[in-house]
Amino acid sequence: MHRHDPQYYVSKLELVPHPEGGYYKRTFESGERTSDQELKVNFAGKRKLYTSIYFLLRSHDVSHFHRLKSDELWYYHAGSPLTIHIIDENGKYKEIKLGLNFDKGEVPQALVSKNSIFGSSVMDGDTFSLVGCMVSPGFEFQDFELFTQRDLLLKYPQHKDIIMKLAYEKIPENS
């Protein structure tokens, strides 16, 4: 397999399909835990201080719009640049380009603040992007919320174009 083939990374890093789209593997997690009483977060039980994954997205896939109760730091690793699409808590839309071409406004790491609705896509063409994501407090699927196009269009009609591209028409059964 060619080094620039996404299947190379999926195989070598033992990535598996992610419910939001793309492939992932949990790589690191804190041995320490915290509760929402120490933080400005509302969740049941305790969470690891942080969790980290590899995440690979191919150009013909998208990471569908979702929300976390924690901050998520993104780190560029390989492949093409990746665009993170964010609708923040105030309903403002912005894009962050994750990559290494600083002259084109790309950055090698970025923060998606907790409670933002976000997804991602890879630049056009037959390519992929490999990134790392660290969530703090640590990621748990019970804090993961997917959205339908209808859900988001009712609240953010001004962002129709990106919502139609990144939100599910219907949430998949096994998400």
Side-chain angles (χ1 to χ4, degrees):
M1 280 180 256
H2 191 266
R3 189 169 164 239
H4 296 291
D5 180 336
Q7 193 55 43
Y8 172 83
Y9 292 100
V10 169
S11 174
K12 292 292 185 188
L13 297 174
E14 299 174 344
L15 306 179
V16 297
H18 196 295
E20 77 190 45
Y23 298 85
Y24 81 109
K25 179 181 182 182
R26 191 174 275 203
T27 53
F28 298 101
E29 57 185 40
S30 171
E32 296 182 74
R33 299 174 81 78
T34 188
S35 74
D36 63 358
Q37 293 172 0
E38 289 87 24
L39 308 165
K40 294 178 182 171
V41 179
N42 184 19
F43 51 71
K46 292 191 174 259
R47 296 290 178 275
K48 295 176 184 301
L49 288 180
Y50 66 85
T51 55
S52 184
I53 64 168
Y54 287 126
F55 182 65
L56 183 138
L57 194 62
R58 298 174 299 184
S59 54
H60 56 277
D61 298 326
V62 298
S63 165
H64 291 85
F65 271 132
H66 60 288
R67 178 167 48 202
L68 301 179
K69 293 181 177 182
S70 300
D71 287 343
E72 183 166 9
L73 280 165
W74 290 62
Y75 304 91
Y76 174 81
H77 291 311
S80 293
L82 178 123
T83 303
I84 307 168
H85 305 269
I86 303 166
I87 301 173
D88 70 19
E89 286 188 276
N90 299 317
K92 290 172 122 179
Y93 171 78
K94 72 174 182 175
E95 294 181 357
I96 300 174
K97 307 278 189 202
L98 208 59
L100 297 177
N101 191 335
F102 305 123
D103 295 333
K104 288 191 174 179
E106 296 170 11
V107 294
Q109 56 185 4
L111 173 68
V112 175
S113 298
K114 65 185 175 193
N115 299 321
S116 296
I117 295 168
F118 66 104
S120 59
S121 61
V122 180
M123 304 295 188
D124 294 335
D126 185 20
T127 186
F128 71 96
S129 184
L130 175 66
V131 299
C133 301
M134 189 199 71
V135 176
S136 179
F139 178 85
E140 293 289 340
F141 271 103
Q142 68 196 63
D143 300 331
F144 175 77
E145 187 179 4
L146 279 169
F147 296 93
T148 65
Q149 293 168 354
R150 185 172 184 271
D151 293 336
L152 294 177
L153 287 172
L154 287 171
K155 195 163 184 186
Y156 308 109
Q158 70 273 31
H159 305 310
K160 181 180 180 184
D161 290 347
I162 196 64
I163 288 169
M164 296 307 288
K165 182 178 176 184
L166 292 186
Y168 280 112
E169 186 174 341
K170 180 181 171 190
I171 304 291
E173 296 281 325
N174 46 353
S175 292

